[in-house]
Amino acid sequence: MTAGSGDGRLRPSPDQPTPDGDRRSRRTPDGRRTRRRTVPLRARLRRDWPLLLMAAPAALLLLVFHYLPTLGNVIAFQDYNPWVGDNAFEAFVYSEWIGFGNFETLFRDPAFWDAVVNTLTITAFQLVFFFPLPILLAILLHSILSTRVRGFIQSVVYLPHFFSWVLVVTFFMQMLGGAGLLAQRMRDAGLDPLNVMGNPDTFIVLVTAEAVWKDIGWGAIIFLAALSAIDQNLYEAAAADGAGRWRRLWHITLPGLRPVIVLLLILRLGDALTVGFEQFILQREAVGRQAAEVLDTYVYYQAIIPQQWGMGAAAGLFKGIIGLVLIIAANKFAHRLGEQGVYSR
């Protein structure tokens, strides 16, 4: 049915379904608008089955390798022994429950807190000196007019991301190690050679430089996508009004990138206790445990090798809870700044 309007046109009644099965919103007695349920579930499944079919492998991958393994966190509260039963389920059932005993052992270990401090220090250092660099690289690449030159530079800076950490550390060793190119040139000049790879005082700078060389190009991809979504008419209008390059950058480019920057910053804070494993375990012996021990290597040496599975699960659960708290807190702060963050309110 239809109802008349002040301009003489006919409008659909609030209860009349639209062609796709949707129903118009209705106004409640207290003035609020409510939207009634739209297309039935069976009709939506019949309509969206190709999309659901394409998403099914990714959903199955998440279920098998991410969600189901979270059930294993129960061993953080057990003196887990995988040899108790004939299978993993019986090992869960028959292992002794010790409550928060693993957490007490973990928190009383000074080496654990040294690893946490090292991890947070490296994360803070990389947030300041690494996180902004992909943004700057994306802005520079976006400003290159020649698509051929831009494509060549992108290929060069993307390539190290596909190298393994073994290859990256080997490359830096050949350049900055005690027998590397830099040390040899210093010996030829009559100077005392530097062994950057074995210096614990500069280790945090070294691992950040390695991460920059390996991942700066890959990290710029998402910022390049965000830059391509900015309306070019804004730049033309600003240039017509007399805005220079820096004013266009400040008032158009950076505001256009701000939602992506906030989102990635929140996600990075969620991984504050995860700075990597291979990169640090490969260089741990060269600089010593005090400089290179992070939470992941601590779990490997103190839980995996001695088969203290419960303590390792407790460390992983601790890391996950801290990451969740940081994401929620950072997301609420983003809402206060007017950004959507990871999820909207």
Side-chain angles (χ1 to χ4, degrees), residues 74-245:
V74 69
I75 70 175
F77 306 95
Q78 292 180 315
D79 183 12
Y80 182 71
N81 185 356
W83 317 113
V84 172
D86 296 332
N87 51 57
F89 179 75
E90 290 185 359
F92 281 125
V93 173
Y94 297 130
S95 293
E96 180 183 358
W97 289 88
I98 58 175
F100 292 95
N102 289 318
F103 292 94
E104 293 177 2
T105 303
L106 194 68
F107 295 156
R108 289 175 182 172
D109 187 1
F112 169 75
W113 294 111
D114 290 341
V116 171
V117 170
N118 283 344
T119 304
L120 292 176
T121 302
I122 293 171
T123 296
F125 190 86
Q126 292 185 352
L127 279 178
V128 175
F129 295 101
F130 178 28
F131 185 81
L133 295 182
I135 304 174
L136 298 178
L137 177 62
I139 293 175
L140 291 175
L141 290 175
H142 188 70
S143 64
I144 298 176
L145 297 180
S146 174
T147 56
R148 181 172 298 180
V149 174
R150 185 193 308 171
F152 173 76
I153 296 176
Q154 285 177 313
S155 300
V156 172
V157 297
Y158 291 169
L159 183 61
H161 172 77
F162 301 98
F163 295 161
S164 68
W165 274 115
V166 175
L167 185 59
V168 172
V169 173
T170 302
F171 172 81
F172 274 80
M173 181 68 72
Q174 294 298 322
M175 297 296 294
L176 305 176
L181 182 62
L182 176 62
Q184 291 178 6
R185 292 293 176 266
M186 294 182 69
R187 289 191 187 95
D188 295 340
L191 302 175
D192 292 333
L194 293 177
N195 183 10
V196 180
M197 300 298 293
N199 188 354
D201 296 330
T202 59
F203 180 71
I204 188 172
V205 180
L206 173 66
V207 294
T208 303
E210 292 170 351
V212 168
W213 184 76
K214 187 177 189 295
D215 288 327
I216 184 175
W218 189 259
I221 292 178
I222 190 169
F223 295 109
L224 284 171
L227 286 171
S228 64
I230 298 177
D231 189 359
Q232 296 301 313
N233 293 327
L234 296 175
Y235 292 102
E236 297 175 2
D241 291 339
R245 176 177 299 179

Side-chain angles (χ1 to χ4, degrees), residues 6-26:
D7 56 4
R9 292 180 295 178
L10 296 180
R11 299 188 182 279
S13 172
D15 292 332
Q16 181 180 1
T18 56
D20 61 352
D22 195 3
R23 293 183 184 272
R24 301 278 179 172
S25 61
R26 301 183 63 184

